[in-house]
Amino acid sequence: MGNHAGAILTFWFMVSLLALISSFGVGTALNMLFRRWWLSLVLYLAFTVYLLIAAARHMVVAEWVVYVVGWLGVVLSVVVVRSLKRNGYPLFTNGPR
């Protein structure tokens, strides 16, 4: 593997990591603000429909990997928020703060 290929793999790894962290953070923040655990899933699903209509034929494998990693971040945020909500964490419950 040449130096150029290593740089490309490093780039896509870092972009995937950024997608995971960003989608997890945004999903958690949305779920915290609106107190709906399913909100980030619905928004990412809407993004999926848009992506499939607008750009699916033009995406390469690495871009699909970043997209799937973004889904993983959204699903992780839903799992974490539901867990925190079940445990009574005040930022995620519907009761008074």
Side-chain angles (χ1 to χ4, degrees), residues 29-50:
L30 285 172
N31 292 333
M32 182 177 58
L33 289 172
F34 296 106
R35 297 181 182 187
R36 302 285 183 260
W37 64 266
W38 46 264
L39 183 62
S40 59
L41 282 174
V42 170
L43 290 177
Y44 210 81
L45 182 62
F47 173 68
T48 299
V49 170
Y50 170 75

Side-chain angles (χ1 to χ4, degrees), residues 1-96:
M1 178 182 294
N3 190 25
H4 182 67
I8 290 173
L9 284 176
T10 302
F11 170 78
W12 284 110
F13 174 76
M14 295 303 288
V15 169
S16 297
L17 188 62
L18 180 64
L20 177 72
I21 293 168
S22 298
S23 61
F24 178 82
V26 169
T28 303
L30 285 172
N31 292 333
M32 182 177 58
L33 289 172
F34 296 106
R35 297 181 182 187
R36 302 285 183 260
W37 64 266
W38 46 264
L39 183 62
S40 59
L41 282 174
V42 170
L43 290 177
Y44 210 81
L45 182 62
F47 173 68
T48 299
V49 170
Y50 170 75
L51 183 71
L52 290 175
I53 291 170
R57 291 179 296 194
H58 307 290
M59 289 176 62
V60 295
V61 173
E63 292 169 332
W64 282 107
V65 169
V66 171
Y67 166 74
V68 170
V69 169
W71 257 116
L72 179 65
V74 169
V75 170
L76 285 173
S77 76
V78 166
V79 169
V80 168
V81 166
R82 289 194 72 195
S83 171
L84 290 170
K85 194 174 202 174
R86 253 187 248 119
N87 292 330
Y89 194 70
L91 287 175
F92 297 99
T93 58
N94 289 330

